[in-house]
Amino acid sequence: MLIKTKNLVKSYEREGVSHRVVDQVNFTMDSGEFVIVKGTSGSGKTTLLNLLSGILTPSGGSVFFEGNDLKKMDDRQLSEIRNHRISYIPQNDTLLSTLTLWDNLRLPFFLGKGGDLTVEELDERLERLLEEFGLSDRKGAYPKELSGGEIRRGLIIRSLALDPDLIIADEPTGSLDPVTTLTVMEKFRRISQKGIAVLAVSHQPETFPFGDRLYEMKEGRLLPAKVFTENRIRKD
Ligand SMILES: Nc1ncnc2c1ncn2[C@@H]1O[C@H](COP(=O)(O)OP(=O)(O)O)[C@@H](O)[C@H]1O
Ligand SMILES: [Mg+2]
């Protein structure tokens, strides 16, 4: 079990009344699984992702990473998980406009997120990922010279470069055209087939069949919506 939640709750006060934005969520995910969460705006999806990645602390219940309760971890353990094990691509995340694609990709490393990785190893890995994502010839480009899809692929490369166990992506195809959306989903699918768990939020029905399991967030509840048995079989 890579990540698991038990009776997870997050509440916020609104006009003096407490509202459960995430309501008793019980959820597990294994390595190499690709899970998609759909749900209307305001249903609590982003809050759930923030809880899973340890950015928010629960009002109730727990998040376990490899069996360890995030709540019981000290700062060092938590930052190990947040910097090296989980890679989070927030909604509307983008590249820094003043840096080239290449420098954007190297940035997390220079911010100390590389762990034991040497800069040579990082560069070699980035070159390989750029090739795989069809961006080798765009290395020197600034974000304003890149398309939305190229930026999105850049963000995925950046999240993969540090070799995480879990990628969490909030609406990664939100502003992309249909063709680019499918390309990005196919990349996530390939990533999960390599053993990395991927959890993505998406509204777009055409993205759902790329996942192994689909959930729906409804007023803070996480409800199983569909299992794509075909994908699961194909992977085994
Ligand atoms: N920090 C906060 N304080 C108060 N209410 C919040 C906060 N963050 C989110 N909410 C509320 O929680 C609900 C769910 O938000 P969110 O998780 O962003 O939903 P989604 O990502 O599904 O659109 C919304 O009603 C939002 O206004
Ligand atoms: Mg959201």
Side-chain angles (χ1 to χ4, degrees):
M1 203 71 64
L2 185 65
I3 197 157
K4 173 181 163 151
T5 71
K6 193 165 174 230
N7 302 332
L8 188 63
V9 173
K10 184 72 185 177
S11 323
Y12 289 115
E13 292 266 322
R14 208 179 293 154
E15 292 161 10
V17 185
S18 172
H19 285 268
R20 284 187 171 188
V21 171
V22 168
D23 191 6
Q24 295 283 344
V25 167
N26 289 294
F27 167 74
T28 60
M29 227 178 131
D30 284 319
S31 297
E33 272 197 297
F34 185 6
V35 172
I36 297 177
V37 177
K38 66 171 181 170
T40 53
S41 175
S43 58
K45 304 180 299 296
T46 298
T47 306
L48 176 65
L49 299 188
N50 287 334
L51 290 166
L52 291 173
S53 55
I55 292 171
L56 286 177
T57 46
S59 312
S62 301
V63 176
F64 300 89
F65 190 84
E66 291 176 338
N68 299 306
D69 192 339
L70 294 191
K71 250 193 328 250
K72 296 190 176 138
M73 290 182 188
D74 58 30
D75 284 350
R76 195 192 52 80
Q77 291 168 308
L78 205 54
S79 73
E80 158 71 17
I81 286 181
R82 285 177 47 183
N83 290 333
H84 307 308
R85 311 296 304 280
I86 300 179
S87 192
Y88 188 23
I89 310 177
Q91 192 170 359
N92 304 321
D93 196 13
T94 192
L95 300 172
L96 280 183
S97 61
T98 52
L99 298 179
T100 60
L101 174 61
W102 178 250
D103 286 340
N104 264 287
L105 297 179
R106 293 174 100 204
L107 191 60
F109 179 88
F110 289 109
L111 295 176
K113 292 190 170 194
D116 297 333
L117 202 68
T118 67
V119 69
E120 289 78 17
E121 284 166 338
L122 172 78
D123 287 356
E124 202 180 304
R125 194 178 291 173
L126 287 176
E127 296 279 9
R128 194 162 22 84
L129 288 165
L130 282 163
E131 181 75 40
E132 188 184 334
F133 280 70
L135 285 176
S136 292
D137 58 345
R138 310 299 286 134
K139 268 195 322 201
Y142 285 88
K144 67 170 187 302
E145 300 161 337
L146 298 170
S147 70
E150 287 172 332
I151 289 177
R152 217 51 79 95
R153 278 181 279 157
L155 292 169
I156 299 172
I157 293 175
R158 196 176 66 183
S159 72
L160 277 173
L162 302 177
D163 201 17
D165 300 285
L166 170 63
I167 293 183
I168 296 180
D170 198 354
E171 306 202 22
T173 57
S175 53
L176 301 179
D177 65 77
V179 174
T180 315
T181 292
L182 298 187
T183 312
V184 167
M185 293 311 284
E186 184 53 39
K187 293 294 178 207
F188 279 128
R189 166 121 228 104
R190 292 255 303 278
I191 291 164
S192 74
Q193 282 164 338
K194 289 180 182 165
I196 298 172
V198 180
L199 176 62
V201 162
S202 169
H203 303 294
Q204 299 149 280
E206 68 271 26
T207 65
F208 301 159
F210 285 87
D212 298 311
R213 287 187 284 148
L214 176 68
Y215 283 84
E216 179 168 10
M217 197 89 189
K218 255 188 181 164
E219 297 176 2
R221 297 255 173 189
L222 188 70
L223 311 168
K226 198 169 163 68
V227 177
F228 292 92
T229 331
E230 233 184 70
N231 289 346
R232 298 180 71 108
I233 290 168
R234 224 190 299 149
K235 225 188 300 196
D236 291 340

